[in-house]
Every structure is written in structure tokens, then in C-alpha cells.
Amino acid sequence: MPHSYRFHIMLIRPAQVHTAADACTVVRQSITHCCALDHHHDAAILGAWLANKTPKNLAAWMTAPGTIAWGAYREEAMVGFALLAGPTLALCYVVPEALHQGMGRALLWEAEAHARQAGVAALQLESTRTAEAFYRRNGFEPSGPPQAWAGLQAQPMRKLL
């Protein structure tokens, strides 16, 4: 009996400023729906975290000197977004429907490859509680004490490239 398979083709490509609204949607959906371990569904904490996640700010971050951004696409829909600012992975998020499908890892590898090519010796980031295990699985280690802000905790991490 023949088998039927459905493959989700993923494409990672540089994100352009005209995709800032899509990137903003990805980031906001991910924070809201995937990061409950961090915000505990507390409206004040979530509001503070999302306050600067606007299309205008994403566009500014994407075009700032020394930054590069990527989108992960399934068909034509952006389902993941990453932003590298020099030696810092500033953002790396996927929508809930794309969790555990390799999208985040693909974005991370793209950022690592770009950083390595640019001569960055170590990539750094501040991880949420939600993402810490993901980054550990991908070779990152804590690089300082957790930082606190607006009811959130961020774990500084780094990975030697």
C-alpha cells in the first residue's frame, strides 16, 4: 500500500525591512503563547515585555548598523525570526505552530554561521527561562548571573564559535 507524506519545506532567508510587521507578529505570538514559563500569563509582565515589540521598532532594529535579520518561512508565511547585532543574538523566536520542527535551530545556525564568517569569537545572548534548554542543547553556557527586569529573568549565555 503506498504511503502519503506531507513535508513542510522551510526556507531561511535574510529578512528585509518590509517584513518588519511579519517579524513583529512572530515575536509577539511566540512571547505570548510559548513563553508562559517566563510571564506566567501575568498581564503586567507580558505588557512590559511586549511594549517595544512593534513593527516600527523591529524595522529600526533590522536596519541598525551591524545587524542582520533572518526569517524562517514555511511556504510564504514567516514562522520564525532572528536578529543578530554584532556578537549578540538579540532575538530568536518561532510561532507556536513551528515549535520543535527545527525552525529555531535553523535560525540559530544561520546566525552562528554569519557571526563566525564576520570573525566573532563568541556569540552571546540573554535567554528566557523557556529557551534556556534549547540554547544549552545548542552549545551555549551561562556566562553570568541571571538578570531581572519587569518580573522577567534573563540568563546571559555564550557559545564559543
PDB file of all heavy atoms in Angstrom, residues 89-128:
ATOM      1  N   LEU A  89      23.062  37.640  19.747  1.00  0.00           N
ATOM      2  CA  LEU A  89      21.795  37.194  19.183  1.00  0.00           C
ATOM      3  C   LEU A  89      20.715  37.879  19.995  1.00  0.00           C
ATOM      4  O   LEU A  89      20.432  37.504  21.127  1.00  0.00           O
ATOM      5  CB  LEU A  89      21.666  35.670  19.260  1.00  0.00           C
ATOM      6  CG  LEU A  89      20.414  35.097  18.613  1.00  0.00           C
ATOM      7  CD1 LEU A  89      20.401  35.366  17.095  1.00  0.00           C
ATOM      8  CD2 LEU A  89      20.304  33.606  18.888  1.00  0.00           C
ATOM      9  N   ALA A  90      20.158  38.938  19.416  1.00  0.00           N
ATOM     10  CA  ALA A  90      19.206  39.778  20.141  1.00  0.00           C
ATOM     11  C   ALA A  90      17.812  39.174  20.189  1.00  0.00           C
ATOM     12  O   ALA A  90      17.098  39.324  21.183  1.00  0.00           O
ATOM     13  CB  ALA A  90      19.161  41.170  19.508  1.00  0.00           C
ATOM     14  N   LEU A  91      17.400  38.502  19.111  1.00  0.00           N
ATOM     15  CA  LEU A  91      16.073  37.897  19.033  1.00  0.00           C
ATOM     16  C   LEU A  91      16.173  36.575  18.287  1.00  0.00           C
ATOM     17  O   LEU A  91      16.889  36.477  17.283  1.00  0.00           O
ATOM     18  CB  LEU A  91      15.094  38.805  18.274  1.00  0.00           C
ATOM     19  CG  LEU A  91      14.822  40.199  18.819  1.00  0.00           C
ATOM     20  CD1 LEU A  91      14.015  41.012  17.812  1.00  0.00           C
ATOM     21  CD2 LEU A  91      14.086  40.125  20.144  1.00  0.00           C
ATOM     22  N   CYS A  92      15.417  35.583  18.756  1.00  0.00           N
ATOM     23  CA  CYS A  92      15.267  34.318  18.039  1.00  0.00           C
ATOM     24  C   CYS A  92      13.963  33.693  18.515  1.00  0.00           C
ATOM     25  O   CYS A  92      13.879  33.174  19.632  1.00  0.00           O
ATOM     26  CB  CYS A  92      16.453  33.386  18.298  1.00  0.00           C
ATOM     27  SG  CYS A  92      16.422  31.899  17.258  1.00  0.00           S
ATOM     28  N   TYR A  93      12.937  33.793  17.679  1.00  0.00           N
ATOM     29  CA  TYR A  93      11.589  33.363  18.052  1.00  0.00           C
ATOM     30  C   TYR A  93      10.939  32.602  16.908  1.00  0.00           C
ATOM     31  O   TYR A  93      11.201  32.897  15.740  1.00  0.00           O
ATOM     32  CB  TYR A  93      10.712  34.583  18.381  1.00  0.00           C
ATOM     33  CG  TYR A  93      11.076  35.271  19.659  1.00  0.00           C
ATOM     34  CD1 TYR A  93      11.887  36.394  19.668  1.00  0.00           C
ATOM     35  CD2 TYR A  93      10.586  34.808  20.880  1.00  0.00           C
ATOM     36  CE1 TYR A  93      12.215  37.041  20.861  1.00  0.00           C
ATOM     37  CE2 TYR A  93      10.902  35.446  22.073  1.00  0.00           C
ATOM     38  CZ  TYR A  93      11.709  36.560  22.046  1.00  0.00           C
ATOM     39  OH  TYR A  93      12.028  37.200  23.228  1.00  0.00           O
ATOM     40  N   VAL A  94      10.067  31.661  17.260  1.00  0.00           N
ATOM     41  CA  VAL A  94       9.238  30.969  16.283  1.00  0.00           C
ATOM     42  C   VAL A  94       7.795  30.984  16.777  1.00  0.00           C
ATOM     43  O   VAL A  94       7.546  31.050  17.985  1.00  0.00           O
ATOM     44  CB  VAL A  94       9.694  29.517  16.012  1.00  0.00           C
ATOM     45  CG1 VAL A  94      11.090  29.493  15.414  1.00  0.00           C
ATOM     46  CG2 VAL A  94       9.626  28.673  17.260  1.00  0.00           C
ATOM     47  N   VAL A  95       6.856  30.924  15.837  1.00  0.00           N
ATOM     48  CA  VAL A  95       5.436  30.890  16.205  1.00  0.00           C
ATOM     49  C   VAL A  95       5.125  29.531  16.844  1.00  0.00           C
ATOM     50  O   VAL A  95       5.835  28.548  16.610  1.00  0.00           O
ATOM     51  CB  VAL A  95       4.514  31.149  14.989  1.00  0.00           C
ATOM     52  CG1 VAL A  95       4.729  32.550  14.434  1.00  0.00           C
ATOM     53  CG2 VAL A  95       4.688  30.092  13.918  1.00  0.00           C
ATOM     54  N   PRO A  96       4.075  29.472  17.642  1.00  0.00           N
ATOM     55  CA  PRO A  96       3.748  28.215  18.334  1.00  0.00           C
ATOM     56  C   PRO A  96       3.625  27.008  17.401  1.00  0.00           C
ATOM     57  O   PRO A  96       4.090  25.916  17.736  1.00  0.00           O
ATOM     58  CB  PRO A  96       2.413  28.519  19.011  1.00  0.00           C
ATOM     59  CG  PRO A  96       2.378  30.002  19.165  1.00  0.00           C
ATOM     60  CD  PRO A  96       3.148  30.551  18.002  1.00  0.00           C
ATOM     61  N   GLU A  97       3.038  27.190  16.230  1.00  0.00           N
ATOM     62  CA  GLU A  97       2.837  26.081  15.298  1.00  0.00           C
ATOM     63  C   GLU A  97       4.145  25.539  14.730  1.00  0.00           C
ATOM     64  O   GLU A  97       4.162  24.464  14.133  1.00  0.00           O
ATOM     65  CB  GLU A  97       1.939  26.510  14.131  1.00  0.00           C
ATOM     66  CG  GLU A  97       0.598  27.084  14.518  1.00  0.00           C
ATOM     67  CD  GLU A  97       0.672  28.542  14.948  1.00  0.00           C
ATOM     68  OE1 GLU A  97       1.352  29.359  14.303  1.00  0.00           O
ATOM     69  OE2 GLU A  97       0.035  28.859  15.966  1.00  0.00           O
ATOM     70  N   ALA A  98       5.235  26.275  14.884  1.00  0.00           N
ATOM     71  CA  ALA A  98       6.524  25.860  14.330  1.00  0.00           C
ATOM     72  C   ALA A  98       7.492  25.333  15.392  1.00  0.00           C
ATOM     73  O   ALA A  98       8.627  25.001  15.066  1.00  0.00           O
ATOM     74  CB  ALA A  98       7.157  27.031  13.577  1.00  0.00           C
ATOM     75  N   LEU A  99       7.048  25.251  16.623  1.00  0.00           N
ATOM     76  CA  LEU A  99       7.925  24.735  17.684  1.00  0.00           C
ATOM     77  C   LEU A  99       8.310  23.284  17.404  1.00  0.00           C
ATOM     78  O   LEU A  99       7.515  22.509  16.873  1.00  0.00           O
ATOM     79  CB  LEU A  99       7.212  24.801  19.038  1.00  0.00           C
ATOM     80  CG  LEU A  99       7.115  26.155  19.707  1.00  0.00           C
ATOM     81  CD1 LEU A  99       6.309  26.040  21.000  1.00  0.00           C
ATOM     82  CD2 LEU A  99       8.485  26.733  19.996  1.00  0.00           C
ATOM     83  N   HIS A 100       9.538  22.945  17.782  1.00  0.00           N
ATOM     84  CA  HIS A 100      10.038  21.565  17.717  1.00  0.00           C
ATOM     85  C   HIS A 100      10.029  20.989  16.302  1.00  0.00           C
ATOM     86  O   HIS A 100       9.845  19.794  16.128  1.00  0.00           O
ATOM     87  CB  HIS A 100       9.251  20.665  18.686  1.00  0.00           C
ATOM     88  CG  HIS A 100       9.164  21.238  20.060  1.00  0.00           C
ATOM     89  ND1 HIS A 100      10.260  21.369  20.878  1.00  0.00           N
ATOM     90  CD2 HIS A 100       8.115  21.755  20.736  1.00  0.00           C
ATOM     91  CE1 HIS A 100       9.884  21.928  22.010  1.00  0.00           C
ATOM     92  NE2 HIS A 100       8.592  22.184  21.945  1.00  0.00           N
ATOM     93  N   GLN A 101      10.241  21.863  15.320  1.00  0.00           N
ATOM     94  CA  GLN A 101      10.306  21.425  13.928  1.00  0.00           C
ATOM     95  C   GLN A 101      11.609  21.848  13.262  1.00  0.00           C
ATOM     96  O   GLN A 101      11.734  21.783  12.049  1.00  0.00           O
ATOM     97  CB  GLN A 101       9.101  21.979  13.154  1.00  0.00           C
ATOM     98  CG  GLN A 101       7.778  21.443  13.658  1.00  0.00           C
ATOM     99  CD  GLN A 101       6.590  22.072  12.955  1.00  0.00           C
ATOM    100  OE1 GLN A 101       6.701  22.579  11.842  1.00  0.00           O
ATOM    101  NE2 GLN A 101       5.456  22.036  13.612  1.00  0.00           N
ATOM    102  N   GLY A 102      12.560  22.322  14.048  1.00  0.00           N
ATOM    103  CA  GLY A 102      13.865  22.698  13.510  1.00  0.00           C
ATOM    104  C   GLY A 102      13.979  24.138  13.045  1.00  0.00           C
ATOM    105  O   GLY A 102      15.048  24.554  12.599  1.00  0.00           O
ATOM    106  N   MET A 103      12.912  24.912  13.158  1.00  0.00           N
ATOM    107  CA  MET A 103      12.952  26.307  12.695  1.00  0.00           C
ATOM    108  C   MET A 103      13.917  27.146  13.538  1.00  0.00           C
ATOM    109  O   MET A 103      14.733  27.883  13.006  1.00  0.00           O
ATOM    110  CB  MET A 103      11.567  26.951  12.748  1.00  0.00           C
ATOM    111  CG  MET A 103      10.504  26.235  11.984  1.00  0.00           C
ATOM    112  SD  MET A 103      10.688  26.484  10.220  1.00  0.00           S
ATOM    113  CE  MET A 103       9.237  25.609   9.650  1.00  0.00           C
ATOM    114  N   GLY A 104      13.779  27.046  14.857  1.00  0.00           N
ATOM    115  CA  GLY A 104      14.656  27.807  15.744  1.00  0.00           C
ATOM    116  C   GLY A 104      16.110  27.415  15.562  1.00  0.00           C
ATOM    117  O   GLY A 104      16.999  28.268  15.511  1.00  0.00           O
ATOM    118  N   ARG A 105      16.360  26.113  15.459  1.00  0.00           N
ATOM    119  CA  ARG A 105      17.732  25.629  15.274  1.00  0.00           C
ATOM    120  C   ARG A 105      18.299  26.137  13.957  1.00  0.00           C
ATOM    121  O   ARG A 105      19.460  26.560  13.888  1.00  0.00           O
ATOM    122  CB  ARG A 105      17.756  24.106  15.338  1.00  0.00           C
ATOM    123  CG  ARG A 105      19.160  23.533  15.280  1.00  0.00           C
ATOM    124  CD  ARG A 105      19.204  22.023  15.489  1.00  0.00           C
ATOM    125  NE  ARG A 105      18.376  21.327  14.520  1.00  0.00           N
ATOM    126  CZ  ARG A 105      17.311  20.583  14.827  1.00  0.00           C
ATOM    127  NH1 ARG A 105      16.943  20.432  16.076  1.00  0.00           N
ATOM    128  NH2 ARG A 105      16.628  19.989  13.876  1.00  0.00           N
ATOM    129  N   ALA A 106      17.495  26.125  12.900  1.00  0.00           N
ATOM    130  CA  ALA A 106      17.969  26.615  11.602  1.00  0.00           C
ATOM    131  C   ALA A 106      18.306  28.101  11.663  1.00  0.00           C
ATOM    132  O   ALA A 106      19.324  28.545  11.128  1.00  0.00           O
ATOM    133  CB  ALA A 106      16.917  26.345  10.522  1.00  0.00           C
ATOM    134  N   LEU A 107      17.468  28.883  12.330  1.00  0.00           N
ATOM    135  CA  LEU A 107      17.758  30.312  12.502  1.00  0.00           C
ATOM    136  C   LEU A 107      19.031  30.510  13.313  1.00  0.00           C
ATOM    137  O   LEU A 107      19.876  31.353  12.976  1.00  0.00           O
ATOM    138  CB  LEU A 107      16.587  31.014  13.183  1.00  0.00           C
ATOM    139  CG  LEU A 107      15.352  31.243  12.325  1.00  0.00           C
ATOM    140  CD1 LEU A 107      14.156  31.604  13.197  1.00  0.00           C
ATOM    141  CD2 LEU A 107      15.611  32.333  11.286  1.00  0.00           C
ATOM    142  N   LEU A 108      19.186  29.738  14.374  1.00  0.00           N
ATOM    143  CA  LEU A 108      20.379  29.836  15.220  1.00  0.00           C
ATOM    144  C   LEU A 108      21.632  29.487  14.417  1.00  0.00           C
ATOM    145  O   LEU A 108      22.638  30.199  14.484  1.00  0.00           O
ATOM    146  CB  LEU A 108      20.232  28.924  16.436  1.00  0.00           C
ATOM    147  CG  LEU A 108      21.390  28.920  17.425  1.00  0.00           C
ATOM    148  CD1 LEU A 108      21.643  30.312  17.991  1.00  0.00           C
ATOM    149  CD2 LEU A 108      21.100  27.929  18.553  1.00  0.00           C
ATOM    150  N   TRP A 109      21.584  28.415  13.655  1.00  0.00           N
ATOM    151  CA  TRP A 109      22.746  28.021  12.849  1.00  0.00           C
ATOM    152  C   TRP A 109      23.089  29.099  11.825  1.00  0.00           C
ATOM    153  O   TRP A 109      24.263  29.357  11.560  1.00  0.00           O
ATOM    154  CB  TRP A 109      22.490  26.692  12.161  1.00  0.00           C
ATOM    155  CG  TRP A 109      22.513  25.510  13.091  1.00  0.00           C
ATOM    156  CD1 TRP A 109      22.857  25.496  14.424  1.00  0.00           C
ATOM    157  CD2 TRP A 109      22.170  24.167  12.758  1.00  0.00           C
ATOM    158  NE1 TRP A 109      22.732  24.228  14.930  1.00  0.00           N
ATOM    159  CE2 TRP A 109      22.316  23.394  13.939  1.00  0.00           C
ATOM    160  CE3 TRP A 109      21.741  23.542  11.592  1.00  0.00           C
ATOM    161  CZ2 TRP A 109      22.069  22.034  13.971  1.00  0.00           C
ATOM    162  CZ3 TRP A 109      21.494  22.181  11.626  1.00  0.00           C
ATOM    163  CH2 TRP A 109      21.663  21.437  12.792  1.00  0.00           C
ATOM    164  N   GLU A 110      22.082  29.714  11.228  1.00  0.00           N
ATOM    165  CA  GLU A 110      22.331  30.789  10.260  1.00  0.00           C
ATOM    166  C   GLU A 110      23.043  31.956  10.946  1.00  0.00           C
ATOM    167  O   GLU A 110      24.010  32.509  10.414  1.00  0.00           O
ATOM    168  CB  GLU A 110      21.016  31.246   9.639  1.00  0.00           C
ATOM    169  CG  GLU A 110      21.179  32.180   8.474  1.00  0.00           C
ATOM    170  CD  GLU A 110      21.750  31.522   7.231  1.00  0.00           C
ATOM    171  OE1 GLU A 110      21.539  30.315   7.004  1.00  0.00           O
ATOM    172  OE2 GLU A 110      22.440  32.243   6.471  1.00  0.00           O
ATOM    173  N   ALA A 111      22.563  32.331  12.127  1.00  0.00           N
ATOM    174  CA  ALA A 111      23.192  33.425  12.869  1.00  0.00           C
ATOM    175  C   ALA A 111      24.617  33.065  13.272  1.00  0.00           C
ATOM    176  O   ALA A 111      25.527  33.892  13.164  1.00  0.00           O
ATOM    177  CB  ALA A 111      22.357  33.768  14.108  1.00  0.00           C
ATOM    178  N   GLU A 112      24.823  31.839  13.719  1.00  0.00           N
ATOM    179  CA  GLU A 112      26.172  31.397  14.099  1.00  0.00           C
ATOM    180  C   GLU A 112      27.112  31.430  12.904  1.00  0.00           C
ATOM    181  O   GLU A 112      28.251  31.896  13.013  1.00  0.00           O
ATOM    182  CB  GLU A 112      26.135  29.988  14.681  1.00  0.00           C
ATOM    183  CG  GLU A 112      25.543  29.915  16.058  1.00  0.00           C
ATOM    184  CD  GLU A 112      25.484  28.491  16.587  1.00  0.00           C
ATOM    185  OE1 GLU A 112      26.020  27.555  15.939  1.00  0.00           O
ATOM    186  OE2 GLU A 112      24.899  28.305  17.668  1.00  0.00           O
ATOM    187  N   ALA A 113      26.652  30.942  11.756  1.00  0.00           N
ATOM    188  CA  ALA A 113      27.489  30.930  10.552  1.00  0.00           C
ATOM    189  C   ALA A 113      27.868  32.351  10.144  1.00  0.00           C
ATOM    190  O   ALA A 113      29.029  32.618   9.808  1.00  0.00           O
ATOM    191  CB  ALA A 113      26.764  30.221   9.413  1.00  0.00           C
ATOM    192  N   HIS A 114      26.905  33.255  10.196  1.00  0.00           N
ATOM    193  CA  HIS A 114      27.194  34.645   9.838  1.00  0.00           C
ATOM    194  C   HIS A 114      28.192  35.257  10.828  1.00  0.00           C
ATOM    195  O   HIS A 114      29.136  35.933  10.420  1.00  0.00           O
ATOM    196  CB  HIS A 114      25.913  35.465   9.796  1.00  0.00           C
ATOM    197  CG  HIS A 114      26.147  36.882   9.390  1.00  0.00           C
ATOM    198  ND1 HIS A 114      26.253  37.263   8.076  1.00  0.00           N
ATOM    199  CD2 HIS A 114      26.346  38.000  10.129  1.00  0.00           C
ATOM    200  CE1 HIS A 114      26.500  38.557   8.024  1.00  0.00           C
ATOM    201  NE2 HIS A 114      26.553  39.037   9.245  1.00  0.00           N
ATOM    202  N   ALA A 115      27.980  35.031  12.114  1.00  0.00           N
ATOM    203  CA  ALA A 115      28.880  35.577  13.134  1.00  0.00           C
ATOM    204  C   ALA A 115      30.293  35.026  12.950  1.00  0.00           C
ATOM    205  O   ALA A 115      31.278  35.772  13.019  1.00  0.00           O
ATOM    206  CB  ALA A 115      28.350  35.256  14.529  1.00  0.00           C
ATOM    207  N   ARG A 116      30.393  33.729  12.711  1.00  0.00           N
ATOM    208  CA  ARG A 116      31.703  33.089  12.505  1.00  0.00           C
ATOM    209  C   ARG A 116      32.407  33.724  11.303  1.00  0.00           C
ATOM    210  O   ARG A 116      33.593  34.063  11.370  1.00  0.00           O
ATOM    211  CB  ARG A 116      31.477  31.592  12.275  1.00  0.00           C
ATOM    212  CG  ARG A 116      32.624  30.719  12.673  1.00  0.00           C
ATOM    213  CD  ARG A 116      32.302  29.226  12.513  1.00  0.00           C
ATOM    214  NE  ARG A 116      31.523  28.703  13.629  1.00  0.00           N
ATOM    215  CZ  ARG A 116      30.255  28.322  13.576  1.00  0.00           C
ATOM    216  NH1 ARG A 116      29.575  28.380  12.445  1.00  0.00           N
ATOM    217  NH2 ARG A 116      29.640  27.854  14.637  1.00  0.00           N
ATOM    218  N   GLN A 117      31.669  33.899  10.212  1.00  0.00           N
ATOM    219  CA  GLN A 117      32.226  34.494   8.998  1.00  0.00           C
ATOM    220  C   GLN A 117      32.670  35.942   9.241  1.00  0.00           C
ATOM    221  O   GLN A 117      33.631  36.410   8.638  1.00  0.00           O
ATOM    222  CB  GLN A 117      31.192  34.430   7.882  1.00  0.00           C
ATOM    223  CG  GLN A 117      31.736  34.718   6.520  1.00  0.00           C
ATOM    224  CD  GLN A 117      30.688  34.440   5.449  1.00  0.00           C
ATOM    225  OE1 GLN A 117      29.496  34.633   5.673  1.00  0.00           O
ATOM    226  NE2 GLN A 117      31.133  34.001   4.296  1.00  0.00           N
ATOM    227  N   ALA A 118      31.987  36.634  10.152  1.00  0.00           N
ATOM    228  CA  ALA A 118      32.331  38.023  10.472  1.00  0.00           C
ATOM    229  C   ALA A 118      33.473  38.108  11.480  1.00  0.00           C
ATOM    230  O   ALA A 118      33.855  39.205  11.886  1.00  0.00           O
ATOM    231  CB  ALA A 118      31.100  38.744  11.017  1.00  0.00           C
ATOM    232  N   GLY A 119      33.982  36.964  11.918  1.00  0.00           N
ATOM    233  CA  GLY A 119      35.114  36.961  12.840  1.00  0.00           C
ATOM    234  C   GLY A 119      34.735  37.031  14.308  1.00  0.00           C
ATOM    235  O   GLY A 119      35.588  37.282  15.161  1.00  0.00           O
ATOM    236  N   VAL A 120      33.472  36.795  14.632  1.00  0.00           N
ATOM    237  CA  VAL A 120      33.032  36.801  16.026  1.00  0.00           C
ATOM    238  C   VAL A 120      33.550  35.525  16.696  1.00  0.00           C
ATOM    239  O   VAL A 120      33.316  34.422  16.189  1.00  0.00           O
ATOM    240  CB  VAL A 120      31.484  36.881  16.124  1.00  0.00           C
ATOM    241  CG1 VAL A 120      31.012  36.719  17.548  1.00  0.00           C
ATOM    242  CG2 VAL A 120      31.005  38.205  15.534  1.00  0.00           C
ATOM    243  N   ALA A 121      34.242  35.679  17.812  1.00  0.00           N
ATOM    244  CA  ALA A 121      34.814  34.522  18.507  1.00  0.00           C
ATOM    245  C   ALA A 121      33.796  33.819  19.400  1.00  0.00           C
ATOM    246  O   ALA A 121      33.884  32.609  19.617  1.00  0.00           O
ATOM    247  CB  ALA A 121      36.020  34.955  19.350  1.00  0.00           C
ATOM    248  N   ALA A 122      32.858  34.578  19.944  1.00  0.00           N
ATOM    249  CA  ALA A 122      31.842  34.004  20.829  1.00  0.00           C
ATOM    250  C   ALA A 122      30.526  34.736  20.613  1.00  0.00           C
ATOM    251  O   ALA A 122      30.489  35.961  20.584  1.00  0.00           O
ATOM    252  CB  ALA A 122      32.279  34.106  22.287  1.00  0.00           C
ATOM    253  N   LEU A 123      29.482  33.961  20.476  1.00  0.00           N
ATOM    254  CA  LEU A 123      28.143  34.526  20.317  1.00  0.00           C
ATOM    255  C   LEU A 123      27.506  34.598  21.694  1.00  0.00           C
ATOM    256  O   LEU A 123      27.608  33.662  22.483  1.00  0.00           O
ATOM    257  CB  LEU A 123      27.316  33.625  19.396  1.00  0.00           C
ATOM    258  CG  LEU A 123      25.981  34.159  18.894  1.00  0.00           C
ATOM    259  CD1 LEU A 123      26.153  35.474  18.140  1.00  0.00           C
ATOM    260  CD2 LEU A 123      25.320  33.122  17.997  1.00  0.00           C
ATOM    261  N   GLN A 124      26.863  35.721  21.989  1.00  0.00           N
ATOM    262  CA  GLN A 124      26.233  35.898  23.295  1.00  0.00           C
ATOM    263  C   GLN A 124      24.755  36.197  23.132  1.00  0.00           C
ATOM    264  O   GLN A 124      24.303  36.609  22.074  1.00  0.00           O
ATOM    265  CB  GLN A 124      26.923  37.015  24.071  1.00  0.00           C
ATOM    266  CG  GLN A 124      26.893  38.353  23.361  1.00  0.00           C
ATOM    267  CD  GLN A 124      27.839  39.362  23.972  1.00  0.00           C
ATOM    268  OE1 GLN A 124      28.776  39.018  24.677  1.00  0.00           O
ATOM    269  NE2 GLN A 124      27.594  40.627  23.690  1.00  0.00           N
ATOM    270  N   LEU A 125      24.008  35.967  24.203  1.00  0.00           N
ATOM    271  CA  LEU A 125      22.576  36.231  24.202  1.00  0.00           C
ATOM    272  C   LEU A 125      22.093  36.264  25.638  1.00  0.00           C
ATOM    273  O   LEU A 125      22.829  35.917  26.559  1.00  0.00           O
ATOM    274  CB  LEU A 125      21.817  35.157  23.407  1.00  0.00           C
ATOM    275  CG  LEU A 125      22.003  33.694  23.836  1.00  0.00           C
ATOM    276  CD1 LEU A 125      21.032  33.288  24.924  1.00  0.00           C
ATOM    277  CD2 LEU A 125      21.817  32.787  22.632  1.00  0.00           C
ATOM    278  N   GLU A 126      20.863  36.710  25.809  1.00  0.00           N
ATOM    279  CA  GLU A 126      20.184  36.628  27.101  1.00  0.00           C
ATOM    280  C   GLU A 126      18.969  35.753  26.884  1.00  0.00           C
ATOM    281  O   GLU A 126      18.064  36.116  26.131  1.00  0.00           O
ATOM    282  CB  GLU A 126      19.798  38.014  27.615  1.00  0.00           C
ATOM    283  CG  GLU A 126      20.999  38.809  28.067  1.00  0.00           C
ATOM    284  CD  GLU A 126      20.622  40.069  28.813  1.00  0.00           C
ATOM    285  OE1 GLU A 126      19.425  40.395  28.918  1.00  0.00           O
ATOM    286  OE2 GLU A 126      21.550  40.736  29.298  1.00  0.00           O
ATOM    287  N   SER A 127      18.962  34.589  27.522  1.00  0.00           N
ATOM    288  CA  SER A 127      17.906  33.615  27.308  1.00  0.00           C
ATOM    289  C   SER A 127      16.772  33.767  28.312  1.00  0.00           C
ATOM    290  O   SER A 127      16.988  34.039  29.490  1.00  0.00           O
ATOM    291  CB  SER A 127      18.468  32.196  27.431  1.00  0.00           C
ATOM    292  OG  SER A 127      17.430  31.244  27.292  1.00  0.00           O
ATOM    293  N   THR A 128      15.565  33.530  27.817  1.00  0.00           N
ATOM    294  CA  THR A 128      14.416  33.387  28.695  1.00  0.00           C
ATOM    295  C   THR A 128      14.523  32.034  29.403  1.00  0.00           C
ATOM    296  O   THR A 128      15.310  31.161  28.992  1.00  0.00           O
ATOM    297  CB  THR A 128      13.113  33.411  27.878  1.00  0.00           C
ATOM    298  OG1 THR A 128      13.136  32.302  26.966  1.00  0.00           O
ATOM    299  CG2 THR A 128      12.952  34.716  27.121  1.00  0.00           C
TER     300      THR A 128
END
